[in-house]
Amino acid sequence: MRDMSITVAIDIGGTHIRVAAYEPDSIKPIAQTRARSLANQPGVFDRLVHAIESIWPQQKVDAIGIASPGPLDPHTGTILETPNIKEWTNFPVGPKITEHFGVPVYLDNDANMAGLAEWQFGAGKGHHDLVYLTISTGIGGGVITNNHLLQGFRGMGAELGHMIVDPNGPPCGCGHNGHIESFSSGTAIARYVNEQLKAGQKSTLQAQPVVTTVQIAEAALQGDALACSAFERAAHYLGIAVANYLAIFDPSILVFGGGVSQVGDLLFKPFEASLREHVFHPHYLDNLVITKAALGDDAGLLGALALARSMGVV
Ligand SMILES: [Zn+2]
């Protein structure tokens, strides 16, 4: 007799909380909802509980998985601090949800969960060693090594966005200098363009508080030299970071998610050149698959589902 108990998956984001319920072996939700996080207003936890209750199924729920921004401690289910949700400093979201619903809760950061999902259900299916990078306003990463999600002793492994590629580089979102996120994220690319414009470099782009990656990509496709150089610079450092990841993890596939990855060749052509230049040994590149993520916005949710299912197996 098949166990038909249900798994609930949750993706907590700065703007939305998504909750969905799944039957075994399916990644099509039987119920789902999306609520606004209103992250800077009190009561995020109550909104989360309310969203879960609104889709709670009649059948038995055996586990809940949560993808959340970090840093966090997956071993204790505690969010250490998260820039968007100020009231969740050292917040034991896992134990509190367990207390409320009487079901075990498994938590990990959103980039790890997206990497896990791409491996189980998406672009990395069938591979045993995968490195996932999401490049958007920040850079996050997840690593599958020998068919296991790398979490680390403290659960803080695979923070790929905070790899130092130049200690004298610009400030990162985390406050330290020269992390790959401070060179190659969408925020970093836009900041570089603004700085160059203010320094008097000619371009079809105008200095403004928010130059988007899409605007810079459009200018680059029209041949704008500054826009092209902004992607080349980001790609140069990305190649250095990924050369380091190859030396540590030796994956068979690199999966790129996030909005900035959508620019395609503008970033990936110079990235591949930089990777070839910086990789420790060319053998790392033999049969290395470099591909885009397949799951889009569902990656966090599906990763939380995969985590809960894998941890729920006794
Ligand atoms: Zn950083």
Side-chain angles (χ1 to χ4, degrees), residues 245-264:
Y245 306 148
L246 294 189
I248 304 167
F249 304 115
D250 187 16
S252 58
I253 183 167
L254 300 170
V255 179
F256 286 92
V260 176
S261 302
Q262 302 297 322
V263 305

Side-chain angles (χ1 to χ4, degrees), residues 14-100:
T15 53
H16 287 99
I17 293 167
R18 293 178 66 194
V19 185
Y22 300 85
E23 290 179 332
D25 303 323
S26 171
I27 60 167
K28 267 187 69 178
I30 53 167
Q32 59 180 322
T33 189
R34 176 190 290 260
R36 290 184 65 194
S37 328
L38 304 172
N40 51 10
Q41 296 177 29
V44 178
F45 183 74
D46 292 340
R47 287 189 283 282
L48 172 60
V49 168
H50 188 76
I52 301 168
E53 282 171 341
S54 76
I55 60 99
W56 196 257
Q58 307 253 305
Q59 303 97 311
K60 177 175 175 286
V61 173
D62 61 357
I64 298 175
I66 305 181
S68 164
L72 51 78
D73 183 341
H75 305 318
T76 61
T78 301
I79 291 174
L80 303 181
E81 56 179 325
T82 182
N84 285 325
I85 310 174
K86 292 275 187 276
E87 66 177 359
W88 282 14
T89 299
N90 292 318
F91 186 75
V93 66
K96 283 176 77 82
I97 295 285
T98 294
E99 191 185 330
H100 194 98

Side-chain angles (χ1 to χ4, degrees), residues 7-309:
T7 305
V8 169
I10 300 167
D11 185 10
I12 300 170
T15 53
H16 287 99
I17 293 167
R18 293 178 66 194
V19 185
Y22 300 85
E23 290 179 332
D25 303 323
S26 171
I27 60 167
K28 267 187 69 178
I30 53 167
Q32 59 180 322
T33 189
R34 176 190 290 260
R36 290 184 65 194
S37 328
L38 304 172
N40 51 10
Q41 296 177 29
V44 178
F45 183 74
D46 292 340
R47 287 189 283 282
L48 172 60
V49 168
H50 188 76
I52 301 168
E53 282 171 341
S54 76
I55 60 99
W56 196 257
Q58 307 253 305
Q59 303 97 311
K60 177 175 175 286
V61 173
D62 61 357
I64 298 175
I66 305 181
S68 164
L72 51 78
D73 183 341
H75 305 318
T76 61
T78 301
I79 291 174
L80 303 181
E81 56 179 325
T82 182
N84 285 325
I85 310 174
K86 292 275 187 276
E87 66 177 359
W88 282 14
T89 299
N90 292 318
F91 186 75
V93 66
K96 283 176 77 82
I97 295 285
T98 294
E99 191 185 330
H100 194 98
F101 291 94
V103 170
V105 172
Y106 305 99
L107 167 77
D108 206 336
N109 79 58
D110 40 17
N112 279 4
M113 293 298 83
L116 181 66
E118 290 293 340
W119 170 58
Q120 290 227 332
F121 310 123
K125 247 162 87 170
H127 287 260
H128 308 301
D129 297 276
L130 170 148
V131 170
Y132 168 82
L133 266 191
T134 173
I135 310 176
S136 57
T137 52
I139 294 184
V143 173
I144 303 296
T145 180
N146 194 20
N147 293 324
H148 286 282
L149 175 71
L150 188 152
Q151 288 183 307
F153 177 64
R154 296 165 194 79
M156 292 177 75
E159 286 288 355
L160 303 185
H162 303 286
M163 168 164 275
I164 301 164
V165 290
D166 176 359
N168 301 312
C172 182
C174 70
H176 292 272
N177 284 77
H179 293 174
I180 185 58
E181 177 174 304
S182 74
F183 286 103
S184 305
S185 64
T187 312
I189 294 169
R191 179 176 58 198
Y192 174 77
V193 166
N194 270 316
E195 281 170 3
Q196 296 301 307
L197 288 170
K198 282 185 194 136
Q201 189 165 340
K202 295 241 179 313
S203 169
T204 55
L205 291 161
Q206 304 291 317
Q208 52 182 295
V210 185
V211 189
T212 67
T213 313
V214 172
Q215 289 168 325
I216 301 168
E218 281 167 0
L221 289 170
Q222 301 295 318
D224 185 271
L226 173 60
C228 290
S229 74
F231 285 112
E232 281 160 13
R233 176 177 176 274
H236 168 75
Y237 285 101
L238 191 63
I240 293 172
V242 173
N244 288 320
Y245 306 148
L246 294 189
I248 304 167
F249 304 115
D250 187 16
S252 58
I253 183 167
L254 300 170
V255 179
F256 286 92
V260 176
S261 302
Q262 302 297 322
V263 305
D265 282 355
L266 284 172
L267 185 70
F268 285 96
K269 273 218 163 129
F271 158 70
E272 288 184 25
S274 172
L275 181 59
R276 274 194 299 277
E277 183 188 339
H278 293 103
V279 74
F280 157 53
H281 193 284
H283 190 41
Y284 286 107
L285 305 177
D286 290 341
N287 301 313
L288 177 68
V289 178
I290 301 177
T291 189
K292 269 201 242 173
L295 301 173
D297 290 343
D298 291 339
L301 203 56
L302 290 172
L305 171 67
L307 180 74
R309 279 182 181 161

